[in-house]
Amino acid sequence: MESENSTRRISKFLLLGFSESPDLQFLIFALFLSMYLITVLGNLLIITAIISQSHLHTPMYFFLSNLSFVDICFTSTTVPKMLVNIQAQSKAITYEDCITQMSFFLVFAELDNLLLGVMAYDRYVAICHPLHYTVIMNPQLCMLLVLLSWVFSVLHASLQSLMVLQLSFCTDVEIPHFFCELNQLAQLTCSNNFASHLMMHLAPVLLAATSLSAILYSYSKIVSSICAISSAQGKYKAFSTCASHLSIVSLFYSTGLGVYLSSAVTQSSHFAARVSVMYTVVTPMLNPFIYSLRNKDVKKALERLLEGKLNCPIALS
């Protein structure tokens, strides 16, 4: 009864962040503000370039623009709150804001996961069935795949959030992280609901594993098709169309796996928070650079976009 009363009085959590040293706060603030601005600007440039260039109005770039939008939202669920807390010299986040942040983080993390799978399917159709590509990947199917990704992500996040809302939290409200992460919240609970804890821990892993398996299957078929191409130039051209996506997939899942393994083998909570920066902040920041450097169409579109803005006549009063 005493534990139940203490859970009702909990109105906020404390986000401990990366370090409790006051000397490092300005450095952390400047670093994350820079990465956040680069992430937003880079992904906005990708979206603008795709919208403004008609030759990029294809399924592959449609999915890329959605991925860029999701990456902006993904980073925006965590970094701004951390920057505000550092600026205000406060570590507090209300219970409602914490659950909301966790829910949106799950939505956009799952969207990243599903969109990467959808993009792998798009590359599979383009390389393995090139003659039927425009018929299979029609605008209606592309819209449906993105819509289903959103619906599934929202349903998954809502289910996880509802399970968290059923938990009872102890008087220890310190979260050794820079945002309200699901596993960290689960560790603060006093509830002994084994089924809920199992679901919260296994569901994200199973969903990521399912999407990764689909991606690996798609690429196994892609590799087989590329190997069947007789000319070296044809092989290079086919592989170059999926090099950027393959780089992002490798970065996203390797960093996610690193976070999962590091949390399992180390007891240092601050270390887990630092490692999680790789897939929550660094990966969304690098995605525009990967596509702009490895994809000639995107690179040329960005050059035209920037040249157009620089050459835009300035109205004189």
Side-chain angles (χ1 to χ4, degrees):
M1 188 67 181
E2 182 181 350
S3 175
E4 291 180 1
N5 290 336
S6 66
T7 60
R8 292 192 187 102
R9 288 195 296 267
I10 289 179
S11 60
K12 65 180 180 180
F13 294 97
L14 297 178
L15 298 173
L16 300 184
F18 302 100
S19 173
E20 298 180 11
S21 172
D23 299 332
L24 293 176
Q25 297 309 303
F26 176 77
L27 179 61
I28 294 172
F29 179 87
L31 178 62
F32 275 83
L33 177 61
S34 301
M35 289 194 294
Y36 179 67
L37 292 176
I38 292 171
T39 300
V40 173
L41 180 60
N43 283 289
L44 280 177
L45 282 173
I46 292 289
I47 295 171
T48 306
I50 291 172
I51 293 174
S52 62
Q53 304 295 321
S54 58
H55 70 282
L56 296 183
H57 294 175
T58 63
M60 181 174 75
Y61 296 113
F62 171 72
F63 296 132
L64 175 59
S65 63
N66 278 272
L67 181 68
S68 294
F69 173 74
V70 169
D71 280 340
I72 293 174
C73 298
F74 186 41
T75 309
S76 298
T77 59
T78 57
V79 177
K81 176 58 180 175
M82 184 190 70
L83 296 176
V84 169
N85 278 7
I86 293 176
Q87 186 68 22
Q89 297 183 351
S90 170
K91 298 180 180 180
I93 183 171
T94 65
Y95 177 84
E96 293 79 10
D97 288 347
C98 187
I99 300 300
T100 302
Q101 184 186 62
M102 181 204 70
S103 301
F104 277 102
F105 179 83
L106 289 172
V107 168
F108 296 119
E110 186 58 32
L111 267 170
D112 254 343
N113 181 42
L114 292 174
L115 284 175
L116 288 174
V118 169
M119 293 171 77
Y121 175 70
D122 172 73
R123 292 299 83 208
Y124 159 74
V125 176
I127 293 175
C128 299
H129 305 282
L131 298 179
H132 304 286
Y133 177 70
T134 55
V135 177
I136 297 174
M137 299 304 296
N138 57 74
Q140 291 78 14
L141 179 62
C142 294
M143 291 292 295
L144 181 62
L145 289 172
V146 172
L147 179 61
L148 288 176
S149 298
W150 273 94
V151 170
F152 193 84
S153 299
V154 170
L155 288 176
H156 168 243
S158 299
L159 178 62
Q160 295 280 35
S161 300
L162 286 174
M163 287 191 291
V164 172
L165 289 172
Q166 302 301 316
L167 299 176
S168 301
F169 290 96
C170 304
T171 54
D172 182 12
V173 294
E174 293 184 343
I175 300 176
H177 219 293
F178 68 99
F179 67 96
C180 291
E181 199 260 341
L182 178 63
N183 290 332
Q184 296 293 336
L185 284 174
Q187 293 176 17
L188 297 180
T189 182
C190 298
S191 303
N192 294 318
N193 192 329
F194 176 76
S196 294
H197 281 267
L198 185 65
M199 182 68 176
M200 284 189 295
H201 284 87
L202 286 183
V205 176
L206 291 176
L207 290 172
T210 301
S211 182
L212 181 58
S213 299
I215 292 172
L216 292 176
Y217 175 78
S218 297
Y219 271 103
S220 68
K221 295 293 184 180
I222 289 172
V223 170
S224 299
S225 296
I226 291 177
C227 290
I229 299 174
S230 56
S231 66
Q233 184 179 1
K235 290 181 179 180
Y236 174 79
K237 185 177 180 181
F239 179 76
S240 64
T241 62
C242 25
S244 300
H245 176 257
L246 192 58
S247 300
I248 290 176
V249 167
S250 302
L251 184 63
F252 181 81
Y253 287 103
S254 62
T255 53
L257 180 63
V259 171
Y260 180 78
L261 293 177
S262 65
S263 61
V265 301
T266 181
Q267 299 299 319
S268 174
S269 53
H270 283 301
F271 178 76
R274 295 184 193 114
V275 174
S276 70
V277 173
M278 287 301 298
Y279 81 96
T280 58
V281 182
V282 175
T283 299
M285 180 184 69
L286 292 180
N287 285 353
F289 291 99
I290 292 173
Y291 263 93
S292 61
L293 293 175
R294 299 187 66 89
N295 187 294
K296 292 181 180 179
D297 290 334
V298 174
K299 187 176 181 179
K300 289 179 180 178
L302 287 172
E303 288 174 354
R304 290 194 193 116
L305 180 66
L306 294 174
E307 286 174 2
K309 289 187 176 296
L310 290 175
N311 296 329
C312 183
I314 301 173
L316 297 177
S317 56

